[in-house]
Amino acid sequence: MAGVGHKSHGKSHDMGLHAEQLAGRTQQRFFSAAEEENFTYPWAYEVDFDKTAEFDAEEMDSSAINLKIRELMQSGHGTITVKNPRAKHGVGVGILNRLNLKFEGSLGYFGCGLVDGPNIHISGRVGWSCAENMMAGKVVIDKNAGSTFGAAIRGGDLVCRGDVGSRTGIDQKGGTIIVGGRTGAFSGFMMQRGRMIICGDASKNLGDSMYDGTIYVGGQVEDLGVDCVPGEMNDTELKWLKTKLGMYGIEPACGIENLKKFVSGKQLWNYDNLEPAEKKLVL
């Protein structure tokens, strides 16, 4: 990464992403709507996306479903369909491989967590903490999602076409979370990096205690959390938003150009150094 730490006029600079003060190794953020750059593990299975398989999970428990997915990957299947998952918990987790995976039905809590690389489509709903600690790839849910959607996500695209519960993107560290409908209270809580796009309304305490990152909202915001403030949209962001939402055929009712932007006010960055009276003002 030549030039890291030096002044540049790239897209990330245009979007004001180089004002942060980070200790240790410089960590710059670069925008690519498609995010096609994916790393693979040296021990990952060699799969062929044209080699397809499907199985019925109605009578299987979560462990058996996950084991079956791995067995099919090991045999080279790159496109796998799981029928009747019946909202079982902890399904589709820990997949560190390129894979096209489809669930025909709903998943329970902690579905598709700890994944790095697969493209996953869920035709139903998901419970709490879907795609927790996701590293890379895509997870798309056709219906609604529970609370802590995308907790601590680090990369990739996590998309829910419906509504989601509270604390969406809690401790988000990267990647993009897209919600086609509404989100609950404390969405973006302690957000550190990444982007969140809420096409509908946002409930109380949006972006509470967020350290960095960006939240876009198309509907009404009930109120902002501590240290979350309105930001100004620029042309580079608008272009990125159109490209990213266009990938999934999603558009807020207000129009992409009318999305509202929210960022960190950065008043909590040096919280320990504030005087007691100043801390009261911040909180």
Side-chain angles (χ1 to χ4, degrees):
M1 294 180 62
V4 169
H6 296 283
K7 186 175 181 180
S8 175
H9 297 286
K11 290 184 179 180
S12 52
H13 285 269
D14 293 340
M15 297 176 71
L17 302 178
H18 290 262
E20 58 182 346
Q21 302 170 9
L22 298 174
R25 180 181 297 179
T26 299
Q27 301 180 48
Q28 297 185 342
R29 292 166 290 175
F30 299 89
F31 275 65
S32 168
E35 294 187 355
E36 296 174 349
E37 304 85 356
N38 287 290
F39 296 99
T40 57
Y41 296 94
W43 38 262
Y45 299 120
E46 292 288 339
V47 298
D48 180 357
F49 293 132
D50 293 327
K51 187 175 182 180
T52 64
E54 64 178 43
F55 65 93
D56 194 319
E58 185 167 8
E59 303 299 327
M60 302 170 70
D61 63 19
S62 299
S63 296
I65 296 171
N66 291 332
L67 181 60
K68 181 65 174 179
I69 292 171
R70 280 161 176 73
E71 289 174 348
L72 289 170
M73 286 195 298
Q74 189 172 13
S75 61
H77 292 85
T79 300
I80 300 172
T81 300
V82 181
K83 296 185 175 182
N84 300 311
R86 297 299 186 190
K88 296 183 176 77
H89 308 309
V91 173
V93 299
I95 300 174
L96 311 179
N97 214 91
R98 298 302 307 275
L99 179 70
N100 289 329
L101 178 61
K102 181 176 181 180
F103 291 99
E104 292 186 351
S106 299
L107 301 184
Y109 53 68
F110 291 105
C112 306
L114 299 166
V115 297
D116 192 353
N119 294 331
I120 302 174
H121 178 217
I122 301 163
S123 64
R125 300 173 177 82
V126 294
W128 318 323
S129 299
C130 177
E132 180 190 26
N133 281 291
M134 174 181 176
M135 296 291 291
K138 297 176 184 177
V139 178
V140 180
I141 298 97
D142 284 347
K143 295 184 179 179
N144 299 329
S147 298
T148 60
F149 183 65
I153 182 177
R154 286 162 166 78
D157 286 354
L158 176 58
V159 182
C160 178
R161 299 187 185 280
D163 298 331
V164 298
S166 62
R167 296 180 184 263
T168 299
I170 179 175
D171 197 26
Q172 182 177 353
K173 296 176 173 68
T176 302
I177 296 176
I178 300 174
V179 177
R182 301 168 296 172
T183 190
F186 283 96
S187 291
F189 178 57
M190 294 184 69
M191 184 178 189
Q192 297 181 35
R193 296 179 187 274
R195 292 84 64 193
M196 185 184 302
I197 308 170
I198 308 299
C199 293
D201 298 335
S203 192
K204 295 181 178 180
N205 294 306
L206 178 72
D208 188 79
S209 301
M210 65 186 295
Y211 180 87
D212 213 327
T214 310
I215 303 174
Y216 305 94
V217 181
Q220 298 298 314
V221 177
E222 190 164 345
D223 65 35
L224 298 178
V226 172
D227 212 24
C228 180
V229 299
E232 293 185 7
M233 192 86 72
N234 61 45
D235 292 340
T236 304
E237 284 176 291
L238 186 58
K239 182 178 179 181
W240 177 83
L241 286 163
K242 289 179 178 178
T243 301
K244 179 64 76 173
L245 291 174
M247 291 170 59
Y248 302 102
I250 296 175
E251 184 171 351
C254 67
I256 295 174
E257 64 280 357
N258 293 316
L259 285 169
K260 297 179 286 290
K261 175 182 176 181
F262 300 95
V263 297
S264 170
K266 303 191 187 326
Q267 295 300 306
L268 296 179
W269 279 32
N270 300 301
Y271 181 79
D272 290 339
N273 296 326
L274 295 177
E275 296 295 329
E278 293 176 313
K279 291 181 179 181
K280 289 182 180 179
L281 289 175
V282 170
L283 297 177

